[in-house]
Amino acid sequence: MQKMIDRFSWACRMLLPDRLLRFYPPDFTLRRPTVSLLNKRIRRGKDCYLTLFKLDCYPVKQEISRGEWSNFLEAARRHLRISAMNRFEEQEVIALVQYSDTELIMLTESRYFKEKSSFVPEKLRLLLDGVRTDLEVGLAGHRPEWRNTLTVVSASVPFSAAPASDAPTEILLLESYQSALALATGTITPQMQSLRSELEHVLDNGTITVLAQPIMNLTTGDVFGWEMLTRGPEGSLLHFPDELFNFATQSRLLSRLEFLVVKRALDEIASRSIKEPVFLNITAVTLSHPLFLSHVLECLERSPSLSARQVIFEITERHQITNFTAMNAILGSFRQHGFRFAVDDAGSGYSSLQWIGELVPELIKIDSSVIKHVDQIAIKESLLRAIVMAAREMNCEIVAEGVEREEEADILFKLEVDMGQGYYFARPNVLLHEHERQMFQETKDRIQHRRGLVAS
C-alpha cells in the first residue's frame, strides 16, 4: 500500500512546474527541473554559482543505522533550506539538490559585483560562508554527540556562459560540480582558484599576444610558412605557452582559449597580408567542438585576403584521440573547405606515429627530441631517415622542428628534409609584412651555402 502511495505522490509531482520542484527535486527520468531552472537563468545572461556543501562525517556514519542516517540527511536538507531562504532573496535561490549521500548543492543567482581577482563576489562568499556555518550548527544541534567530529566543507564556483563554451547545461552543471568538489577536497588550491580567475579575465579581454616563427624551405631557402605561437600577459604566470595551455586544460577552458587564439592569429595574418601557409596549433578536443569549424570560417569571411588553403592545423598531443573513425570524419569536413593538417611531435612517442598512420596528414612535424644532436647519435639519424621514407610513401611533406645547430641542419640537407624550423633559422617574433623581411635574406644565403657544401 505504501509503495502505491509513493508512486502516486511521485506521479503528482511530475505535473508540478519546475519552480515548485526547486528544493530537492526527485530524479525524474523524463524531466530535470534543476537543469531547466538553471538553463533559464543562463540564457538570460545571469551570473550563476554552484556551491557544494560536503558533510565530513564518515566515521560516525558507520556507527548508526540506515534509518538514523536517513533522518540525519533529512535534517541536513531542512537546515540548508532554512538558512538559504533566511540569507538570500527568494529569486536568488535557483535550486537545492541532494547530489550524493554526503553532498548537498545550492545553485544561486548573484547580483553582486565580482572583482577582477576574485572567483566569487566577496558579498556572495560571505553569505555562503554564513549558510555553511548555519548548516554545521544546525546539524550539531540535531546530533550533539557529533559536535567534535562533524564538519561541513564548502566550495563555490561560477558557471561559464561564454559563447565559445556553448556546452549543454547538463555538462556545465557536471563540470561545475567537479570543480567545486576539487576545491572542497583540496585538489585545487586557492592559488589555482585565483589563477583561474586571471585566465578568465584574459579570455574575456583577449589579452594574449600572437608571435610567429618562420618555417624555412630547405631547398630554396625561402620562408615556406609561419607557425603561430601564443603568449599570455607579460609578467604573468600564464605568459609562457606551456603554463597557459596546461592550466587552461586543467580549468576546462582549453577550447575557449583555442577559439581566441585562432581568431587572433587569423586577424594578425590578414593585417600583414601574409600569403604563405600558416600553422595553427589545435587539440583534438577543440577540433571536435561542434562550433569550431563555423568559428574558423567566420574568421576567414572577415578577411577575404585569406584562404582556407593557407591554414594548416597542427594537431597537438595535449588531448589523446580515442576514436580515429570519428576524427577522420571531422578532418574530412575541414578538408572539404580546403584546410590541411599536420601531426605534431612525430618520433616523440608511439601515439604520434599512430596518428600519422590513422589520420594521413598533409604534413608531418618531426619532434625536436629527434633533431637535437642528430648529427652525434646514430639511432636518431636512423629514426629520422625512416620517418622521411615513410612520409614520401604517404606523399606527406616534412618539417623538422627545434633545429638549433649548423650540424643538425646539415643532416637535414643530407636526408633532403623538406623544411626546417628552429633558432638556427630564426626565433619567434612579431609577424612581419613582406617588405620587412630583409633579415631572412641572410638566412636564405646560409641555407643555400650549407646545402651546397653537403651536396658536394
Side-chain angles (χ1 to χ4, degrees), residues 343-452:
V343 167
D344 197 15
D345 302 331
S348 64
Y350 171 75
S351 60
S352 61
L353 296 178
Q354 183 188 14
W355 287 16
I356 292 170
E358 296 279 359
L359 303 178
V360 193
E362 285 79 9
L363 295 99
I364 296 172
K365 298 198 76 176
I366 301 175
D367 189 65
S368 58
S369 63
V370 177
I371 303 304
K372 186 175 183 179
H373 301 308
V374 67
D375 57 304
Q376 301 172 7
I377 304 173
I379 191 66
K380 287 192 175 186
E381 183 176 341
S382 298
L383 176 58
L384 177 57
R385 191 188 306 273
I387 295 174
V388 170
M389 291 178 62
R392 286 175 182 157
E393 289 184 8
M394 298 169 61
N395 199 28
C396 294
E397 294 183 281
I398 293 179
V399 180
E401 295 184 292
V403 185
E404 296 188 356
R405 300 165 47 247
E406 189 172 76
E407 294 81 1
E408 294 164 351
D410 286 348
I411 297 295
L412 303 183
F413 297 135
K414 171 185 168 183
L415 298 181
E416 297 184 344
V417 172
D418 302 305
M419 288 159 278
Q421 176 184 356
Y423 287 178
Y424 175 71
F425 304 113
R427 291 177 176 268
N429 209 329
V430 294
L431 198 58
L432 300 174
H433 288 88
E434 191 167 356
H435 66 271
E436 299 174 315
R437 301 183 192 171
Q438 299 87 351
M439 65 176 68
F440 294 116
Q441 183 60 47
E442 179 186 345
T443 304
K444 178 176 180 177
D445 294 342
R446 180 156 31 102
I447 289 173
Q448 292 179 336
H449 174 67
R450 294 302 305 178
R451 185 177 183 86

Side-chain angles (χ1 to χ4, degrees), residues 3 21 31 77 80 90 119 125 131 143 170 173 185 201 274-275 299 308 324 337 361 367 372-373 389 393 408 417 452:
K3 287 184 178 180
L21 294 171
R31 288 179 58 193
R77 289 192 291 267
L80 179 58
E90 173 83 16
F119 204 48
R125 186 188 65 78
V131 172
R143 296 298 295 250
E170 293 91 336
L173 185 60
T185 57
H201 182 72
I274 300 299
K275 299 295 188 292
C299 291
F324 284 98
H337 293 277
D367 189 65
K372 186 175 183 179
H373 301 308
M389 291 178 62
E393 289 184 8
E408 294 164 351
V417 172

Side-chain angles (χ1 to χ4, degrees), residues 24 77-87 96 134:
Y24 313 111
R77 289 192 291 267
R78 184 175 65 254
H79 284 297
L80 179 58
R81 178 174 176 174
I82 291 171
S83 178
M85 299 312 294
N86 283 340
R87 292 184 178 270
L96 300 177
D134 291 344

Side-chain angles (χ1 to χ4, degrees), residues 257-274:
L257 173 61
E258 292 189 323
F259 270 65
L260 173 62
V261 169
V262 168
K263 179 182 181 300
R264 181 61 56 79
L266 292 177
D267 287 347
E268 285 284 312
I269 293 159
S271 69
R272 302 294 196 279
S273 302
I274 300 299

Side-chain angles (χ1 to χ4, degrees), residues 56-334:
D56 186 5
C57 52
Y58 180 79
V60 293
K61 180 184 175 183
Q62 308 309 304
E63 300 173 2
I64 62 175
S65 68
R66 183 177 298 180
E68 288 178 300
W69 179 250
S70 179
N71 290 336
F72 175 74
L73 290 182
E74 179 58 36
R77 289 192 291 267
R78 184 175 65 254
H79 284 297
L80 179 58
R81 178 174 176 174
I82 291 171
S83 178
M85 299 312 294
N86 283 340
R87 292 184 178 270
F88 287 85
E89 299 291 333
E90 173 83 16
Q91 69 275 12
E92 292 178 313
V93 181
I94 301 172
L96 300 177
V97 183
Q98 175 85 53
Y99 207 80
S100 76
D101 204 25
T102 58
E103 295 170 345
L104 300 171
I105 282 177
M106 179 177 176
L107 304 178
T108 53
E109 174 188 318
S110 174
R111 54 190 169 84
Y112 300 109
F113 172 74
K114 185 172 83 167
E115 300 79 2
K116 171 186 168 182
S117 59
S118 65
F119 204 48
V120 175
E122 181 65 15
K123 289 184 178 179
L124 177 61
R125 186 188 65 78
L126 292 173
L127 285 172
L128 292 169
D129 280 349
V131 172
R132 185 198 63 79
T133 301
D134 291 344
L135 179 57
E136 203 168 63
V137 170
L139 290 177
H142 179 76
R143 296 298 295 250
E145 68 274 23
W146 292 5
R147 188 179 300 275
N148 296 322
T149 55
L150 168 65
T151 58
V152 178
V153 294
S154 67
S156 301
V157 297
F159 287 93
S160 172
S165 301
D166 193 16
T169 304
E170 293 91 336
I171 301 300
L172 289 177
L173 185 60
L174 175 61
E175 291 182 348
S176 298
Y177 159 73
Q178 291 172 337
S179 296
L181 181 62
L183 280 169
T185 57
T187 306
I188 294 178
T189 65
Q191 290 75 18
M192 291 177 70
Q193 183 181 17
S194 174
L195 194 59
R196 181 187 165 113
S197 294
E198 182 179 344
L199 176 56
E200 288 186 327
H201 182 72
V202 167
L203 296 175
D204 289 341
N205 294 277
T207 50
I208 61 169
T209 303
V210 178
L211 303 179
Q213 187 173 31
I215 296 171
M216 309 304 297
N217 185 312
L218 298 186
T219 300
T220 65
D222 295 319
V223 174
F224 167 80
W226 306 85
E227 179 176 357
M228 307 305 294
L229 305 170
T230 308
R231 299 291 185 271
E234 189 76 34
S236 163
L237 291 174
L238 301 174
H239 176 63
F240 293 104
D242 283 350
E243 286 76 8
L244 176 63
F245 284 93
N246 287 340
F247 189 74
T249 300
Q250 295 171 13
S251 304
R252 304 180 190 277
L253 294 171
L254 179 62
S255 286
R256 191 175 164 197
L257 173 61
E258 292 189 323
F259 270 65
L260 173 62
V261 169
V262 168
K263 179 182 181 300
R264 181 61 56 79
L266 292 177
D267 287 347
E268 285 284 312
I269 293 159
S271 69
R272 302 294 196 279
S273 302
I274 300 299
K275 299 295 188 292
E276 298 89 359
V278 290
F279 289 68
L280 303 177
N281 289 281
I282 205 73
T283 56
V285 67
T286 298
L287 273 175
S288 303
H289 195 291
L291 298 180
F292 183 63
L293 177 56
S294 60
H295 172 72
V296 180
L297 292 174
E298 287 172 9
C299 291
L300 292 180
E301 285 176 8
R302 290 195 299 269
S303 305
S305 62
L306 297 180
S307 72
R309 186 67 185 168
Q310 273 183 269
V311 178
I312 300 170
F313 287 113
E314 189 173 322
I315 308 175
T316 69
E317 285 189 311
R318 288 192 187 97
H319 280 261
Q320 292 299 309
I321 298 174
T322 56
N323 188 333
F324 284 98
T325 301
M327 182 53 63
N328 268 312
I330 291 169
L331 299 194
S333 65
F334 278 83

